[in-house]
Amino acid sequence: MLSTLPPLHHALEVSVVIPCKNEKDNLAFLIDEVGTALVGRSFELIVVDDGSDDGTDLFLKQAATTRPWLRHIRHEKSCGQSNAVRTGLLFAKGEFIATLDGDGQNDPAFFPQMIDALKAGGPSCALAAGQRTKRTDGFVKKYGSRLANKIRQSMLKDNTRDSGCGLKVIRRQVFLNLPFFEAWHRFLPALVVREGLQVVHIDVLDRGRSHGTSKYGIFDRLWVGIIDLFGVLWLRKRRKKIPIISEIDLGGTTEPR
C-alpha cells in the first residue's frame, strides 16, 4: 500500500475526505455541496467507502464522469470511521485536509471560512475545528455527546467545546505526524495542542440526517472513547518538551521553522 501513496508535495490547496458506510443517498447531494463550497479553489474530494454494500461504488463511478475532482477509495471490509479518515489522509494531495461525516449532517459551506481562518493563524495554527450549534440529534446521542465532551475537557483541557464535530480542516503534514489509534479523529484538538500548535474554533450549523441511520453508534463514541481518553492523557503527559527548531545555513544566518 505504501508504494501507491502520492508524494508529500502539494499540488492542491485542499483535499476533502468523507468517510462513509452505506451513505449513497446522502452522498448524492453532499458531493455537489462540496463542489459548490470550494468553487475557485484547487481541491479534490476523496470518498472513503468503508465496505459499503448499498451500491455506493456504482454511484461514485457514475458521479465521477462529470466531476473530475472526485476520487473513490474503498475498504474491502469495514474497518471503522477512524481507519477511513486515515486512509483518506494517506492518499490526499492537498496542503490542507478537510473532513466531514458522510451522513449529510455537516454542511461543507463552512469550509472556506475554516480554511481562511487556518491560513490567517499562520504556521503555528494547525487545526480549524467546527463547533456545532443547535444540535439536531436525538436525546440519547446529543446528551451522550455532551457528557463525553465535558469529561474530555475536564481531563485534557483542550478548550474545545465539541471535539466530535466532523467538520475540521488541518494541515496535512501535522495530521500525518499525529499518533494513530481508534477514534483518534475525535481527539484532534488535544493532539494538535500536544505538538505545541494552535487550534481555531468555528461555529457551524448542525443539520438533521436526510437518509438512513447512523453506522457508528453512540456506544463506541462515549464509553470506548473514555478508555481512549486516558490514552490521550498519557500521551499529553509524556510530551515533556517541545523543541524550537532552526536550520543554520552555511552563511551563518538562522531561519526558524
Side-chain angles (χ1 to χ4, degrees):
M1 175 179 171
L2 291 177
S3 63
T4 67
L5 296 180
L8 291 181
H9 64 78
H10 304 297
L12 300 170
E13 179 184 23
V14 58
S15 296
V16 179
V17 175
I18 302 180
C20 70
K21 180 181 178 181
N22 292 338
E23 298 285 7
K24 179 185 68 173
D25 292 336
N26 290 311
L27 289 173
F29 66 85
L30 197 55
I31 286 173
D32 285 335
E33 285 186 338
V34 170
T36 299
L38 296 177
V39 166
R41 298 176 186 258
S42 60
F43 76 98
E44 63 180 353
L45 169 56
I46 301 174
V47 176
V48 182
D49 174 5
D50 190 31
S52 298
D53 57 10
D54 66 342
T56 291
D57 54 343
L58 297 177
F59 166 75
L60 291 174
K61 183 177 181 180
Q62 177 61 35
T65 60
T66 54
R67 300 165 182 84
W69 36 264
L70 176 61
R71 299 173 64 191
H72 177 200
I73 307 295
R74 177 173 171 80
H75 289 169
E76 183 178 351
K77 296 181 180 179
S78 179
C79 295
Q81 189 173 9
S82 295
N83 276 295
V85 172
R86 186 168 187 263
T87 294
L89 163 65
L90 293 176
F91 280 87
K93 300 176 182 178
E95 178 182 1
F96 300 99
I97 305 297
T99 67
L100 73 163
D101 294 338
D103 57 14
Q105 291 186 253
N106 301 147
D107 189 345
F110 291 96
F111 278 150
Q113 180 185 355
M114 298 173 76
I115 295 168
D116 292 343
L118 193 54
K119 289 182 175 181
S124 64
C125 187
L127 170 67
Q131 306 286 274
R132 290 168 290 187
T133 61
K134 299 180 180 179
R135 296 286 299 275
T136 61
D137 294 318
F139 177 87
V140 173
K141 186 175 180 181
K142 180 165 58 177
Y143 285 94
S145 177
R146 185 172 296 176
L147 173 61
N149 276 307
K150 285 183 177 179
I151 294 172
R152 188 204 71 258
Q153 283 194 67
S154 67
M155 293 180 65
L156 299 182
K157 297 177 173 56
D158 58 7
N159 297 318
T160 298
R161 183 183 76 242
D162 179 17
S163 181
C165 178
L167 281 170
K168 294 183 176 73
V169 179
I170 183 169
R171 296 181 187 274
R172 181 176 187 255
Q173 193 57 54
V174 173
F175 213 169
L176 286 168
N177 289 337
L178 299 181
F180 174 75
F181 53 91
E182 292 292 335
W184 120 117
H185 63 289
R186 298 187 181 281
F187 294 94
L188 287 181
L191 293 173
V192 165
V193 170
R194 176 180 180 266
E195 299 299 316
L197 299 169
Q198 298 172 3
V199 178
V200 61
H201 299 94
I202 305 293
D203 283 343
V204 301
L205 295 178
D206 191 40
R207 308 189 292 194
R209 173 184 272 274
S210 299
H211 305 281
T213 58
S214 176
K215 313 305 184 297
Y216 304 111
I218 187 63
F219 179 81
D220 61 282
R221 292 178 179 179
L222 178 57
W223 305 116
V224 177
I226 290 175
I227 296 172
D228 291 330
L229 179 58
F230 285 96
V232 176
L233 183 63
W234 180 86
L235 286 171
R236 289 278 310 263
K237 289 183 178 296
R238 294 304 299 167
R239 187 66 187 262
K240 300 297 185 181
K241 296 181 179 179
I242 300 172
I244 300 175
I245 304 170
S246 298
E247 180 178 357
I248 311 301
D249 68 19
L250 294 178
T253 58
T254 303
E255 182 179 350
R257 286 182 172 235

